[in-house]
């Protein structure tokens, strides 16, 4: 009895790379929408839930507007090629702070959310790390 094997068809590396870039860009767009609409907007329009949460934290309206502005700026920056890695790092740092606040002030009520968001942000920061070099080059040219 002879064994026959079907030829293994593999996806060309270029096609795989293209699909990976599209998938990562899709994740960036989804995160940008999340930070801009679901996270920043309620803070910037002073939604009652956001106001109550920031009062409970002790940061009041000023803290709420600052965090909302940072989230909106980070979400927009995720879509700008030269800023995407820096934005992912900054939003990751913001999520670490959110995790600490969730644990300390809210007894871990929604602590998983910032941890879940950190995963794709770290991936974006790593894969798009060359954009940091581009950003530094632009900054140095301006100085």
């Amino acid at each position: 009895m002879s064994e026959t094997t079907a030829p293994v068809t593999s996806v060309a590396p270029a096609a795989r790379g293209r699909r990976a870039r599209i998938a990562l860009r899709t994740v960036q767009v989804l995160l940008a929408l999340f930070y801009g609409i679901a996270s920043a907007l309620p803070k910037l329009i002073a939604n009652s839930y956001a106001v109550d949460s920031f009062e409970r934290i002790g940061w009041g309206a000023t803290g709420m507007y600052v965090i909302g502005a940072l989230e909106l700026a980070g979400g927009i920056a995720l879509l700008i090629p030269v800023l995407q890695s820096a934005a992912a790092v900054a939003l990751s740092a913001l999520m670490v702070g959110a995790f600490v606040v969730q644990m300390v002030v809210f007894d871990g009520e929604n602590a998983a959310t910032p941890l879940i968001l950190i995963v794709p942000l770290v991936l974006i920061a790593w894969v798009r790390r060359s954009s940091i070099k581009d950003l530094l080059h632009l900054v140095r040219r301006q100085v």
Side-chain angles (χ1 to χ4, degrees), residues 110-133:
N110 294 313
T113 302
L115 292 178
I116 292 167
L117 290 168
I118 286 173
V119 173
L121 289 169
V122 168
L123 177 67
I124 291 165
W126 177 255
V127 173
R128 305 287 196 204
R129 65 190 178 276
S130 66
S131 70
I132 294 284
K133 294 175 190 170

Side-chain angles (χ1 to χ4, degrees), residues 135-143:
L135 180 60
L136 289 173
H137 180 71
L138 283 173
V139 169
R140 288 182 184 140
R141 281 187 17 203
Q142 298 299 320
V143 176

Side-chain angles (χ1 to χ4, degrees), residues 57-137:
I57 295 169
W59 294 355
T62 303
M64 179 181 66
Y65 290 126
V66 167
I67 297 297
L70 289 172
E71 289 175 340
L72 181 60
I76 292 168
L78 278 174
L79 302 176
I80 301 171
V82 75
L83 298 175
Q84 57 195 355
S85 184
V89 170
L91 287 169
S92 294
L94 199 61
M95 291 302 97
V96 169
F99 173 75
V100 170
V101 167
Q102 288 296 325
M103 293 303 291
V104 173
V105 178
F106 298 104
D107 300 320
E109 188 177 312
N110 294 313
T113 302
L115 292 178
I116 292 167
L117 290 168
I118 286 173
V119 173
L121 289 169
V122 168
L123 177 67
I124 291 165
W126 177 255
V127 173
R128 305 287 196 204
R129 65 190 178 276
S130 66
S131 70
I132 294 284
K133 294 175 190 170
D134 298 338
L135 180 60
L136 289 173
H137 180 71

